């Protein structure tokens, strides 16, 4: 068998991704017809944040992390930043689960820390009740002292979850609909996300409303300006297209490279001329660069404080120092330079300004329609729930 026979076929974009790229190629831009506005108090009012928390973060399916964080069976990750003591596991069959990190015996926290742990079973530190990674109660000391108890009834409390295209989602309530998560998984598959490995992971604390951070990834108006010293020179000014997958937004921005003669049906070639961005409701951003992926999960802690966990995924583990140095430079550029020093800092400055009450509303131009659509979806959801 020769080398050509063993190569994997090239990844192909979905029809939706291809349509956005061809719109950019034709010079069509996703613009709104005129100026629109967003009330300033949606960023500064604690009561508004309370409504959002109830309607969005306490109810909707949301991304927890990329699959690459738990690459193998027999892994567990405590996760507290959603305001719930969660435990993400990958069981012996490779299936991902999301449980409450609470022993069914006396309510003790089952797994401590915040790092991934490798374990075939989970042992409560208090009384050594032992669980499999699929949540089933495996054993307990002195079982005769619990007469009549059925171990099958004492498994960990599991929350609805879904793994699709390299992302692990969960929902805080029963009856969650993961249809759009699976549809987005088809897009993530075109980037090979499920086969990528985790290179770096970092949590940032941003002193700003979560929507100010999301806003930065919902428009391209700022790219050549805010990012003028980092990634701005790689992009055309405001050449963008976009659409929606359910309540989630998908956008594409034209890079400086000439699109003429490029096979847009080849995802590797397409990523050299177009950069996609995904803004998933309620608060996840995915940026596929030409050769790696960033997944940012926003976890609001209040109306003016947000934790952002940034994951960088690469196609394969670096085999040489040269390869590692390449990825380290990419990580420093995006996570430290673009995101932390520019996008997150802009959100903090926006929070400072809006908190003064100096302006009653934000003014959005025709290149900022993604922000308007995002806020419309939020308001519609708030009305449905409240």
């Amino acid at each position: 068998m020769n080398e050509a026979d063993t190569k994997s076929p090239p990844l192909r974009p979905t029809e939706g991704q291809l349509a956005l790229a061809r719109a950019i190629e034709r010079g069509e831009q996703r613009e709104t017809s005129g100026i629109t506005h967003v009330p300033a108090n949606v960023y500064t009012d604690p009561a508004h944040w309370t409504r959002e928390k109830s309607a969005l973060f306490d109810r909707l399916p949301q991304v927890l992390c990329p699959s690459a964080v738990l690459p193998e069976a027999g892994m567990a990750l405590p996760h507290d930043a959603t305001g719930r003591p969660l435990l993400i596991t990958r069981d012996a069959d490779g299936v991902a689960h999301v449980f409450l990190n609470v022993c069914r015996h006396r309510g003790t926290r089952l797994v401590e820390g915040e790092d991934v742990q490798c374990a075939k079973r989970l042992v409560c530190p208090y009384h050594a009740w032992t669980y499999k990674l699929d949540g089933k109660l495996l054993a307990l000391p002195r079982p005769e002292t619990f007469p009549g108890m059925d171990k099958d009834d004492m498994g960990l409390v599991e929350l609805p979850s879904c793994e699709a295209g390299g992302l692990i989602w969960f929902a805080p309530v029963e009856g969650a609909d993961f249809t759009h998560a699976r549809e987005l998984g088809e897009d993530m598959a075109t980037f090979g996300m499920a086969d990528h490995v985790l290179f770096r992971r970092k949590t940032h604390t941003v002193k700003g409303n979560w929507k100010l951070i999301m806003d930065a990834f919902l428009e391209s108006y700022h790219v050549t300006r805010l990012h003028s010293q980092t990634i701005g020179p790689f992009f055309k000014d405001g050449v963008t297209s976009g659409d929606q997958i359910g309540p989630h937004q998908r956008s594409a921005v034209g890079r400086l490279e000439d699109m003429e003669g490029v096979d847009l049906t080849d995802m590797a070639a397409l990523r050299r001329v177009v950069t996609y961005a995904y803004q998933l409701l309620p608060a996840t951003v995915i940026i596929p660069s030409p050769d790696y992926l960033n997944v940012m999960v926003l976890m609001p802690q209040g109306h003016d404080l947000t934790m952002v966990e940034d994951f960088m995924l690469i196609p394969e583990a670096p085999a040489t120092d040269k390869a590692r140095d390449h990825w380290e430079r990419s990580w420093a550029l995006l996570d430290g330079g673009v995101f932390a020093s520019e996008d997150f800092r802009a959100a903090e400055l926006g929070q400072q300004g809006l908190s003064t009450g100096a302006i009653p509303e934000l003014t959005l131009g025709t290149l900022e329609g993604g922000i308007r659509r995002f806020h419309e979806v939020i308001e519609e959801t708030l009305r449905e729930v409240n």
Side-chain angles (χ1 to χ4, degrees):
M1 183 179 291
N2 59 39
E3 183 180 355
D5 293 329
T6 61
K7 283 185 176 179
S8 300
L11 296 172
R12 303 292 186 183
T14 63
E15 288 301 317
Q17 291 169 327
L18 189 58
L20 298 188
R22 286 178 170 156
I24 291 176
E25 184 181 34
R26 293 190 298 267
E28 301 172 5
Q29 296 195 40
R30 190 191 194 196
E31 297 184 350
T32 56
S33 58
I35 292 173
T36 55
H37 300 91
V38 174
N41 68 354
V42 303
Y43 303 96
T44 61
D45 182 5
H48 189 83
W49 153 242
T50 299
R51 292 177 61 216
E52 290 176 340
K53 182 177 183 300
S54 176
L56 303 174
F57 295 94
D58 291 342
R59 194 174 65 90
L60 297 183
Q62 52 208 271
V63 173
L64 276 177
C65 66
S67 301
V69 176
L70 300 168
E72 299 176 0
M75 289 185 162
L77 173 66
H79 192 296
D80 295 330
T82 68
R84 305 166 189 82
L86 301 180
L87 183 64
I88 313 166
T89 71
R90 191 173 296 284
D91 68 22
D93 294 323
V95 178
H97 302 267
V98 179
F99 301 105
L100 292 178
N101 190 8
V102 178
C103 179
R104 288 294 301 276
H105 173 214
R106 295 264 293 274
T108 306
R109 180 183 176 91
L110 195 60
V111 181
E112 297 184 84
E114 55 186 22
D115 297 321
V116 175
Q117 301 187 19
C118 296
K120 292 183 179 180
R121 56 185 59 88
L122 307 167
V123 182
C124 178
Y126 199 174
H127 297 93
W129 281 38
T130 302
Y131 301 85
K132 296 170 65 176
L133 272 74
D134 62 5
K136 294 178 181 177
L137 179 61
L138 181 64
L140 66 154
R142 301 290 306 275
E144 76 279 2
T145 65
F146 294 86
M149 187 184 76
D150 187 344
K151 287 194 299 184
D152 291 341
D153 296 332
M154 299 299 286
L156 298 178
V157 177
E158 185 165 7
L159 298 177
S161 65
C162 170
E163 184 171 21
L167 293 173
I168 297 175
W169 298 66
F170 95 108
V173 297
E174 293 297 329
D177 184 355
F178 291 102
T179 301
H180 296 307
R182 295 187 178 94
E183 189 174 351
L184 285 161
E186 297 175 7
D187 268 37
M188 297 304 107
T190 70
F191 304 117
M193 181 183 284
D195 298 321
H196 277 46
V197 299
L198 178 66
F199 182 69
R200 288 285 181 270
R201 168 189 172 203
K202 182 177 180 180
T203 300
H204 300 265
T205 300
V206 183
K207 296 179 181 178
N209 184 272
W210 67 280
K211 296 186 299 300
L212 286 173
I213 302 171
M214 293 294 291
D215 288 353
F217 298 94
L218 286 158
E219 49 88 1
S220 63
Y221 181 44
H222 76 282
V223 172
T224 60
R225 297 160 185 86
L226 178 64
H227 303 311
S228 62
Q229 301 302 309
T230 52
I231 62 170
F234 297 109
F235 292 91
K236 298 172 182 176
D237 185 10
V239 177
T240 183
S241 61
D243 62 5
Q244 290 183 231
I245 298 175
H248 313 293
Q249 294 200 53
R250 172 178 56 189
S251 59
V253 181
R255 299 176 69 92
L256 283 184
E257 289 82 356
D258 191 352
M259 296 181 69
E260 185 176 355
V262 175
D263 181 5
L264 299 182
T265 67
D266 182 334
M267 180 53 86
L270 175 56
R271 288 172 69 178
R272 289 193 288 270
V273 295
V274 171
T275 290
Y276 291 93
Y278 292 79
Q279 305 86 16
L280 312 184
L281 196 75
T284 296
V285 176
I286 300 173
I287 307 291
S289 294
D291 57 353
Y292 62 95
L293 304 165
N294 280 93
V295 178
M296 284 178 284
V297 180
L298 280 61
M299 297 162 286
Q301 307 299 298
H303 76 282
D304 58 357
L305 184 65
T306 307
M307 293 174 61
V308 184
E309 191 163 21
D310 181 21
F311 305 88
M312 178 178 171
L313 311 179
I314 60 177
E316 59 185 9
T320 65
D321 290 341
K322 181 178 179 181
R324 181 171 295 278
D325 289 344
H326 166 75
W327 296 122
E328 290 286 9
R329 289 193 297 271
S330 297
W331 171 252
L333 173 64
L334 264 291
D335 181 79
V338 177
F339 300 151
S341 300
E342 295 172 349
D343 291 311
F344 300 165
R345 183 56 181 159
E348 292 185 331
L349 295 175
Q351 190 72 36
Q352 292 172 20
L354 293 174
S355 296
T356 67
I359 61 173
E361 59 188 10
L362 285 68
T363 301
L364 306 177
T366 59
L367 292 177
E368 299 167 290
I371 296 176
R372 177 183 59 79
R373 283 182 284 271
F374 179 65
H375 285 261
E376 286 175 348
V377 171
I378 292 174
E379 288 303 315
E380 180 181 344
T381 305
L382 293 178
R383 287 193 296 270
E384 290 175 355
V385 174
N386 299 305

